[in-house]
mmCIF file of all heavy atoms in Angstrom:
data_model
loop_
_atom_site.group_PDB
_atom_site.id
_atom_site.type_symbol
_atom_site.label_atom_id
_atom_site.label_comp_id
_atom_site.label_asym_id
_atom_site.label_seq_id
_atom_site.Cartn_x
_atom_site.Cartn_y
_atom_site.Cartn_z
ATOM 1 N N ASP A 62 42.493 -16.343 -70.851
ATOM 2 C CA ASP A 62 41.207 -16.022 -70.249
ATOM 3 C C ASP A 62 41.080 -16.849 -68.971
ATOM 4 O O ASP A 62 40.892 -18.062 -69.031
ATOM 5 C CB ASP A 62 40.072 -16.350 -71.222
ATOM 6 C CG ASP A 62 38.765 -15.715 -70.798
ATOM 7 O OD1 ASP A 62 38.656 -15.299 -69.632
ATOM 8 O OD2 ASP A 62 37.851 -15.643 -71.630
ATOM 9 N N ASN A 63 41.239 -16.193 -67.844
ATOM 10 C CA ASN A 63 41.240 -16.892 -66.565
ATOM 11 C C ASN A 63 39.865 -17.000 -65.936
ATOM 12 O O ASN A 63 39.754 -17.359 -64.773
ATOM 13 C CB ASN A 63 42.207 -16.203 -65.592
ATOM 14 C CG ASN A 63 43.641 -16.315 -66.055
ATOM 15 O OD1 ASN A 63 44.025 -17.299 -66.677
ATOM 16 N ND2 ASN A 63 44.435 -15.311 -65.768
ATOM 17 N N ARG A 64 38.825 -16.682 -66.705
ATOM 18 C CA ARG A 64 37.483 -16.788 -66.144
ATOM 19 C C ARG A 64 37.105 -18.257 -65.975
ATOM 20 O O ARG A 64 37.555 -19.123 -66.715
ATOM 21 C CB ARG A 64 36.473 -16.088 -67.048
ATOM 22 C CG ARG A 64 36.666 -14.590 -67.120
ATOM 23 C CD ARG A 64 35.632 -13.939 -67.986
ATOM 24 N NE ARG A 64 35.819 -14.351 -69.378
ATOM 25 C CZ ARG A 64 34.975 -14.080 -70.351
ATOM 26 N NH1 ARG A 64 33.868 -13.410 -70.112
ATOM 27 N NH2 ARG A 64 35.234 -14.474 -71.579
ATOM 28 N N SER A 65 36.259 -18.491 -65.016
ATOM 29 C CA SER A 65 35.786 -19.861 -64.773
ATOM 30 C C SER A 65 34.865 -20.278 -65.908
ATOM 31 O O SER A 65 34.328 -19.433 -66.627
ATOM 32 C CB SER A 65 35.041 -19.918 -63.443
ATOM 33 O OG SER A 65 33.794 -19.242 -63.558
ATOM 34 N N PRO A 66 34.646 -21.598 -66.073
ATOM 35 C CA PRO A 66 33.693 -22.043 -67.098
ATOM 36 C C PRO A 66 32.309 -21.419 -66.920
ATOM 37 O O PRO A 66 31.646 -21.088 -67.901
ATOM 38 C CB PRO A 66 33.655 -23.561 -66.902
ATOM 39 C CG PRO A 66 35.012 -23.889 -66.373
ATOM 40 C CD PRO A 66 35.352 -22.726 -65.470
ATOM 41 N N ALA A 67 31.869 -21.229 -65.683
ATOM 42 C CA ALA A 67 30.562 -20.604 -65.443
ATOM 43 C C ALA A 67 30.545 -19.166 -65.951
ATOM 44 O O ALA A 67 29.580 -18.729 -66.586
ATOM 45 C CB ALA A 67 30.226 -20.635 -63.952
ATOM 46 N N GLU A 68 31.619 -18.424 -65.708
ATOM 47 C CA GLU A 68 31.692 -17.042 -66.186
ATOM 48 C C GLU A 68 31.753 -16.986 -67.707
ATOM 49 O O GLU A 68 31.160 -16.104 -68.329
ATOM 50 C CB GLU A 68 32.913 -16.340 -65.586
ATOM 51 C CG GLU A 68 32.809 -16.103 -64.102
ATOM 52 C CD GLU A 68 34.114 -15.624 -63.494
ATOM 53 O OE1 GLU A 68 35.194 -16.090 -63.912
ATOM 54 O OE2 GLU A 68 34.051 -14.781 -62.591
ATOM 55 N N LEU A 69 32.453 -17.940 -68.311
ATOM 56 C CA LEU A 69 32.531 -17.981 -69.767
ATOM 57 C C LEU A 69 31.157 -18.242 -70.376
ATOM 58 O O LEU A 69 30.737 -17.566 -71.307
ATOM 59 C CB LEU A 69 33.519 -19.060 -70.218
ATOM 60 C CG LEU A 69 34.992 -18.792 -69.921
ATOM 61 C CD1 LEU A 69 35.830 -20.023 -70.207
ATOM 62 C CD2 LEU A 69 35.491 -17.613 -70.729
ATOM 63 N N LEU A 70 30.435 -19.237 -69.850
ATOM 64 C CA LEU A 70 29.113 -19.553 -70.386
ATOM 65 C C LEU A 70 28.115 -18.433 -70.143
ATOM 66 O O LEU A 70 27.242 -18.181 -70.968
ATOM 67 C CB LEU A 70 28.580 -20.855 -69.785
ATOM 68 C CG LEU A 70 29.071 -22.148 -70.411
ATOM 69 C CD1 LEU A 70 28.404 -23.338 -69.757
ATOM 70 C CD2 LEU A 70 28.852 -22.170 -71.906
ATOM 71 N N ALA A 71 28.229 -17.769 -68.997
ATOM 72 C CA ALA A 71 27.289 -16.690 -68.659
ATOM 73 C C ALA A 71 27.365 -15.538 -69.661
ATOM 74 O O ALA A 71 26.421 -14.765 -69.780
ATOM 75 C CB ALA A 71 27.553 -16.182 -67.252
ATOM 76 N N ALA A 72 28.455 -15.446 -70.398
ATOM 77 C CA ALA A 72 28.617 -14.364 -71.372
ATOM 78 C C ALA A 72 27.845 -14.614 -72.666
ATOM 79 O O ALA A 72 27.734 -13.726 -73.497
ATOM 80 C CB ALA A 72 30.098 -14.175 -71.691
ATOM 81 N N TYR A 73 27.311 -15.820 -72.836
ATOM 82 C CA TYR A 73 26.604 -16.175 -74.071
ATOM 83 C C TYR A 73 25.094 -16.209 -73.851
ATOM 84 O O TYR A 73 24.623 -16.601 -72.785
ATOM 85 C CB TYR A 73 27.045 -17.561 -74.556
ATOM 86 C CG TYR A 73 28.479 -17.625 -75.000
ATOM 87 C CD1 TYR A 73 29.470 -18.106 -74.147
ATOM 88 C CD2 TYR A 73 28.853 -17.212 -76.269
ATOM 89 C CE1 TYR A 73 30.785 -18.176 -74.549
ATOM 90 C CE2 TYR A 73 30.172 -17.282 -76.681
ATOM 91 C CZ TYR A 73 31.131 -17.766 -75.820
ATOM 92 O OH TYR A 73 32.438 -17.820 -76.218
ATOM 93 N N PRO A 74 24.319 -15.848 -74.891
ATOM 94 C CA PRO A 74 22.860 -15.997 -74.809
ATOM 95 C C PRO A 74 22.495 -17.446 -75.131
ATOM 96 O O PRO A 74 22.614 -17.883 -76.275
ATOM 97 C CB PRO A 74 22.341 -15.029 -75.875
ATOM 98 C CG PRO A 74 23.441 -14.937 -76.874
ATOM 99 C CD PRO A 74 24.730 -15.140 -76.110
ATOM 100 N N ILE A 75 22.082 -18.191 -74.135
ATOM 101 C CA ILE A 75 21.779 -19.617 -74.318
ATOM 102 C C ILE A 75 20.282 -19.825 -74.137
ATOM 103 O O ILE A 75 19.751 -19.637 -73.040
ATOM 104 C CB ILE A 75 22.595 -20.477 -73.329
ATOM 105 C CG1 ILE A 75 24.086 -20.268 -73.595
ATOM 106 C CG2 ILE A 75 22.196 -21.938 -73.444
ATOM 107 C CD1 ILE A 75 25.006 -20.957 -72.621
ATOM 108 N N SER A 76 19.617 -20.203 -75.232
ATOM 109 C CA SER A 76 18.164 -20.403 -75.211
ATOM 110 C C SER A 76 17.762 -21.855 -75.378
ATOM 111 O O SER A 76 16.638 -22.225 -75.048
ATOM 112 C CB SER A 76 17.496 -19.592 -76.324
ATOM 113 O OG SER A 76 17.710 -18.222 -76.120
ATOM 114 N N ASP A 77 18.669 -22.681 -75.930
ATOM 115 C CA ASP A 77 18.328 -24.091 -76.146
ATOM 116 C C ASP A 77 19.606 -24.923 -76.193
ATOM 117 O O ASP A 77 20.712 -24.400 -76.033
ATOM 118 C CB ASP A 77 17.497 -24.264 -77.420
ATOM 119 C CG ASP A 77 18.183 -23.691 -78.654
ATOM 120 O OD1 ASP A 77 19.428 -23.676 -78.719
ATOM 121 O OD2 ASP A 77 17.454 -23.248 -79.565
ATOM 122 N N GLY A 78 19.446 -26.214 -76.446
ATOM 123 C CA GLY A 78 20.590 -27.120 -76.459
ATOM 124 C C GLY A 78 21.614 -26.801 -77.529
ATOM 125 O O GLY A 78 22.821 -26.955 -77.309
ATOM 126 N N SER A 79 21.162 -26.329 -78.702
ATOM 127 C CA SER A 79 22.130 -26.009 -79.754
ATOM 128 C C SER A 79 22.929 -24.755 -79.399
ATOM 129 O O SER A 79 24.129 -24.684 -79.678
ATOM 130 C CB SER A 79 21.429 -25.845 -81.107
ATOM 131 O OG SER A 79 20.535 -24.768 -81.079
ATOM 132 N N ASP A 80 22.273 -23.766 -78.757
ATOM 133 C CA ASP A 80 23.018 -22.595 -78.263
ATOM 134 C C ASP A 80 24.063 -23.021 -77.242
ATOM 135 O O ASP A 80 25.186 -22.519 -77.244
ATOM 136 C CB ASP A 80 22.079 -21.584 -77.607
ATOM 137 C CG ASP A 80 21.230 -20.798 -78.589
ATOM 138 O OD1 ASP A 80 21.520 -20.849 -79.803
ATOM 139 O OD2 ASP A 80 20.267 -20.151 -78.139
ATOM 140 N N LEU A 81 23.669 -23.942 -76.369
ATOM 141 C CA LEU A 81 24.591 -24.416 -75.339
ATOM 142 C C LEU A 81 25.792 -25.113 -75.969
ATOM 143 O O LEU A 81 26.936 -24.845 -75.597
ATOM 144 C CB LEU A 81 23.882 -25.359 -74.367
ATOM 145 C CG LEU A 81 24.788 -26.060 -73.352
ATOM 146 C CD1 LEU A 81 25.530 -25.050 -72.487
ATOM 147 C CD2 LEU A 81 23.977 -27.019 -72.500
ATOM 148 N N ALA A 82 25.550 -26.000 -76.938
ATOM 149 C CA ALA A 82 26.652 -26.729 -77.573
ATOM 150 C C ALA A 82 27.621 -25.765 -78.253
ATOM 151 O O ALA A 82 28.841 -25.890 -78.119
ATOM 152 C CB ALA A 82 26.100 -27.736 -78.578
ATOM 153 N N LYS A 83 27.086 -24.784 -78.964
ATOM 154 C CA LYS A 83 27.928 -23.805 -79.663
ATOM 155 C C LYS A 83 28.705 -22.948 -78.665
ATOM 156 O O LYS A 83 29.911 -22.741 -78.812
ATOM 157 C CB LYS A 83 27.056 -22.918 -80.551
ATOM 158 C CG LYS A 83 27.817 -21.871 -81.302
ATOM 159 C CD LYS A 83 26.890 -20.996 -82.121
ATOM 160 C CE LYS A 83 27.647 -19.827 -82.702
ATOM 161 N NZ LYS A 83 26.786 -18.805 -83.244
ATOM 162 N N SER A 84 28.019 -22.459 -77.641
ATOM 163 C CA SER A 84 28.669 -21.592 -76.648
ATOM 164 C C SER A 84 29.716 -22.355 -75.853
ATOM 165 O O SER A 84 30.799 -21.825 -75.574
ATOM 166 C CB SER A 84 27.620 -21.009 -75.699
ATOM 167 O OG SER A 84 26.676 -20.256 -76.418
ATOM 168 N N ALA A 85 29.415 -23.598 -75.494
ATOM 169 C CA ALA A 85 30.378 -24.408 -74.746
ATOM 170 C C ALA A 85 31.623 -24.660 -75.587
ATOM 171 O O ALA A 85 32.752 -24.593 -75.080
ATOM 172 C CB ALA A 85 29.735 -25.724 -74.315
ATOM 173 N N HIS A 86 31.430 -24.930 -76.864
ATOM 174 C CA HIS A 86 32.572 -25.147 -77.757
ATOM 175 C C HIS A 86 33.435 -23.893 -77.830
ATOM 176 O O HIS A 86 34.668 -23.966 -77.742
ATOM 177 C CB HIS A 86 32.080 -25.549 -79.148
ATOM 178 C CG HIS A 86 33.174 -25.716 -80.139
ATOM 179 N ND1 HIS A 86 34.043 -26.787 -80.125
ATOM 180 C CD2 HIS A 86 33.579 -24.919 -81.169
ATOM 181 C CE1 HIS A 86 34.923 -26.649 -81.094
ATOM 182 N NE2 HIS A 86 34.660 -25.521 -81.743
ATOM 183 N N GLU A 87 32.794 -22.724 -77.990
ATOM 184 C CA GLU A 87 33.545 -21.461 -78.061
ATOM 185 C C GLU A 87 34.249 -21.154 -76.746
ATOM 186 O O GLU A 87 35.291 -20.503 -76.736
ATOM 187 C CB GLU A 87 32.612 -20.326 -78.457
ATOM 188 C CG GLU A 87 32.160 -20.399 -79.900
ATOM 189 C CD GLU A 87 31.194 -19.290 -80.290
ATOM 190 O OE1 GLU A 87 31.039 -18.319 -79.514
ATOM 191 O OE2 GLU A 87 30.585 -19.412 -81.367
ATOM 192 N N ALA A 88 33.688 -21.618 -75.636
ATOM 193 C CA ALA A 88 34.297 -21.390 -74.329
ATOM 194 C C ALA A 88 35.365 -22.431 -73.997
ATOM 195 O O ALA A 88 35.992 -22.372 -72.946
ATOM 196 C CB ALA A 88 33.224 -21.381 -73.247
ATOM 197 N N GLY A 89 35.570 -23.399 -74.899
ATOM 198 C CA GLY A 89 36.592 -24.418 -74.673
ATOM 199 C C GLY A 89 36.150 -25.536 -73.750
ATOM 200 O O GLY A 89 36.985 -26.218 -73.157
ATOM 201 N N LEU A 90 34.856 -25.754 -73.635
ATOM 202 C CA LEU A 90 34.333 -26.831 -72.803
ATOM 203 C C LEU A 90 34.017 -28.045 -73.671
ATOM 204 O O LEU A 90 33.740 -27.923 -74.858
ATOM 205 C CB LEU A 90 33.069 -26.377 -72.066
ATOM 206 C CG LEU A 90 33.207 -25.117 -71.212
ATOM 207 C CD1 LEU A 90 31.870 -24.755 -70.581
ATOM 208 C CD2 LEU A 90 34.265 -25.285 -70.149
ATOM 209 N N ILE A 91 34.039 -29.224 -73.053
ATOM 210 C CA ILE A 91 33.728 -30.455 -73.779
ATOM 211 C C ILE A 91 32.570 -31.182 -73.100
ATOM 212 O O ILE A 91 32.362 -31.055 -71.900
ATOM 213 C CB ILE A 91 34.955 -31.391 -73.850
ATOM 214 C CG1 ILE A 91 35.472 -31.723 -72.438
ATOM 215 C CG2 ILE A 91 36.061 -30.787 -74.688
ATOM 216 C CD1 ILE A 91 36.504 -32.809 -72.395
ATOM 217 N N THR A 92 31.818 -31.923 -73.895
ATOM 218 C CA THR A 92 30.727 -32.720 -73.352
ATOM 219 C C THR A 92 31.322 -33.818 -72.489
ATOM 220 O O THR A 92 32.243 -34.517 -72.899
ATOM 221 C CB THR A 92 29.892 -33.338 -74.496
ATOM 222 O OG1 THR A 92 29.438 -32.296 -75.339
ATOM 223 C CG2 THR A 92 28.708 -34.090 -73.948
ATOM 224 N N SER A 93 30.776 -33.973 -71.297
ATOM 225 C CA SER A 93 31.333 -34.922 -70.341
ATOM 226 C C SER A 93 30.826 -36.335 -70.581
ATOM 227 O O SER A 93 29.657 -36.546 -70.895
ATOM 228 C CB SER A 93 30.964 -34.493 -68.918
ATOM 229 O OG SER A 93 31.498 -35.416 -67.998
ATOM 230 N N GLN A 94 31.709 -37.286 -70.374
ATOM 231 C CA GLN A 94 31.347 -38.700 -70.406
ATOM 232 C C GLN A 94 31.180 -39.256 -68.994
ATOM 233 O O GLN A 94 30.683 -40.362 -68.828
ATOM 234 C CB GLN A 94 32.436 -39.503 -71.139
ATOM 235 C CG GLN A 94 32.669 -39.050 -72.561
ATOM 236 C CD GLN A 94 31.428 -39.215 -73.425
ATOM 237 O OE1 GLN A 94 30.730 -40.221 -73.358
ATOM 238 N NE2 GLN A 94 31.130 -38.204 -74.226
ATOM 239 N N ARG A 95 31.569 -38.482 -67.989
ATOM 240 C CA ARG A 95 31.539 -38.992 -66.614
ATOM 241 C C ARG A 95 30.473 -38.339 -65.750
ATOM 242 O O ARG A 95 30.137 -38.863 -64.695
ATOM 243 C CB ARG A 95 32.904 -38.840 -65.958
ATOM 244 C CG ARG A 95 33.370 -37.428 -65.846
ATOM 245 C CD ARG A 95 34.788 -37.323 -65.314
ATOM 246 N NE ARG A 95 35.111 -35.929 -65.107
ATOM 247 C CZ ARG A 95 34.809 -35.250 -64.027
ATOM 248 N NH1 ARG A 95 34.195 -35.820 -63.033
ATOM 249 N NH2 ARG A 95 35.130 -33.981 -63.925
ATOM 250 N N LEU A 96 29.938 -37.193 -66.183
ATOM 251 C CA LEU A 96 28.891 -36.535 -65.403
ATOM 252 C C LEU A 96 27.549 -37.185 -65.673
ATOM 253 O O LEU A 96 27.260 -37.612 -66.791
ATOM 254 C CB LEU A 96 28.803 -35.050 -65.760
ATOM 255 C CG LEU A 96 29.999 -34.172 -65.404
ATOM 256 C CD1 LEU A 96 29.772 -32.754 -65.937
ATOM 257 C CD2 LEU A 96 30.243 -34.153 -63.915
ATOM 258 N N SER A 97 26.740 -37.248 -64.642
ATOM 259 C CA SER A 97 25.359 -37.716 -64.799
ATOM 260 C C SER A 97 24.478 -36.852 -63.912
ATOM 261 O O SER A 97 24.950 -36.232 -62.961
ATOM 262 C CB SER A 97 25.238 -39.198 -64.433
ATOM 263 O OG SER A 97 25.703 -39.429 -63.115
ATOM 264 N N GLY A 98 23.205 -36.787 -64.243
ATOM 265 C CA GLY A 98 22.295 -35.973 -63.452
ATOM 266 C C GLY A 98 20.885 -36.040 -63.981
ATOM 267 O O GLY A 98 20.628 -36.614 -65.052
#
Side-chain angles (χ1 to χ4, degrees):
D62 195 344
N63 294 328
R64 294 182 293 171
S65 71
E68 292 170 322
L69 291 171
L70 278 183
Y73 293 98
I75 299 175
S76 297
D77 56 30
S79 63
D80 286 347
L81 172 59
K83 179 182 172 193
S84 300
H86 177 73
E87 289 178 12
L90 305 178
I91 57 170
T92 304
S93 180
Q94 301 298 317
R95 61 186 186 84
L96 294 175
S97 56

